[in-house]
Amino acid sequence: MKRLDTDEYFMAITEIVAMRTTCTRRAVGAVFVKNKHIIATGYNGAPKGLRHCLDIGCMREQLGIAAGERHELCRGVHAEQNAIVQAAVFGTPIAGATVYTTLHPCVICSKLLINGGIERIVYMEGYPDDLSKELLDEAGIEMVKYVGARHRITRVDADGLEIEDGVAVRYDY
């Protein structure tokens, strides 16, 4: 049996984190790692205590807004933003960390990651945001496009029978 390398290990966990999404358009997960230990996680969804897009529909879809545009017109908080908030709430410094994410950060998340002192970002899928890429490059953050294995998660009950409830790792970025 082959042991997963570090990037594949943390990316597999990131895929599971993404399964908690409440966004109807994209399932995005982020895992912040420092010294090979997870220090924070986040997934995209509505702010704490507010109604989820899964329940009330997607404002961006209703308005016909394309990916990478008009970020302010969305109920959701991005996965990276939620992980930064989680670290802040628990007093965990993120400077020097690596971020594993299922989607390349948008420009807003990129600015937050730069200011937070993130040193490396490993991402699975690209995102249509040239300014984000430009800022991350200028900041000297190491960017790694993850090309390793993806993980299909099948949920089963106590008897080993597959649970068909719509929860799955989604690759519809």
Side-chain angles (χ1 to χ4, degrees), residues 6 14 24 31 36-37 52 57 64 78-79 115 121-122 126 130 135 140 152-153 163 168 173:
T6 303
T14 304
T24 60
V31 173
K36 297 187 178 180
H37 290 87
H52 300 292
H78 289 187
N115 279 356
I121 298 172
V122 181
D130 292 334
L135 294 177
R152 296 233 160 101
I153 310 298
I163 300 169
Y173 306 111

Side-chain angles (χ1 to χ4, degrees), residues 3-156:
R3 183 178 186 206
L4 300 179
D5 70 30
T6 303
D7 282 348
E8 186 175 357
Y9 169 71
F10 288 119
M11 191 57 78
I13 293 168
T14 304
E15 291 176 284
I16 291 172
V17 170
M19 293 171 69
R20 288 282 300 153
T21 187
T22 62
C23 177
T24 60
R25 291 178 103 178
R26 283 195 169 94
V28 182
V31 173
F32 287 37
V33 174
K34 199 168 183 179
N35 300 321
K36 297 187 178 180
H37 290 87
I38 295 171
I39 59 171
T41 66
Y43 53 88
N44 56 329
K48 188 187 307 188
L50 301 185
R51 295 175 297 159
H52 300 292
C53 297
L54 283 175
D55 302 324
I56 64 171
C58 175
M59 174 193 309
R60 293 177 61 80
E61 238 171 54
Q62 294 162 3
L63 297 173
I65 299 170
E69 298 177 10
R70 307 289 314 269
H71 297 286
E72 74 279 8
L73 295 176
C74 180
R75 293 181 62 84
V77 179
H78 289 187
E80 302 92 334
Q81 294 167 357
N82 272 323
I84 290 168
V85 169
Q86 182 186 76
V89 165
F90 292 103
T92 305
I94 62 171
T98 293
V99 174
Y100 290 86
T101 181
T102 55
L103 189 67
H104 188 288
C106 72
V107 69
I108 296 168
C109 290
S110 293
K111 291 186 276 187
L112 293 171
L113 296 171
I114 291 166
N115 279 356
I118 297 302
E119 292 183 356
R120 181 171 181 255
I121 298 172
V122 181
Y123 65 97
M124 189 175 284
E125 295 294 330
Y127 189 72
D129 192 332
D130 292 334
L131 182 56
S132 170
K133 294 175 182 102
E134 182 182 321
L135 294 177
L136 292 166
D137 183 56
E138 184 179 338
I141 294 177
E142 180 186 358
M143 298 299 297
V144 178
K145 169 86 165 98
Y146 177 77
V147 294
R150 293 185 180 199
H151 303 85
R152 296 233 160 101
I153 310 298
T154 302
R155 297 174 67 232
V156 296

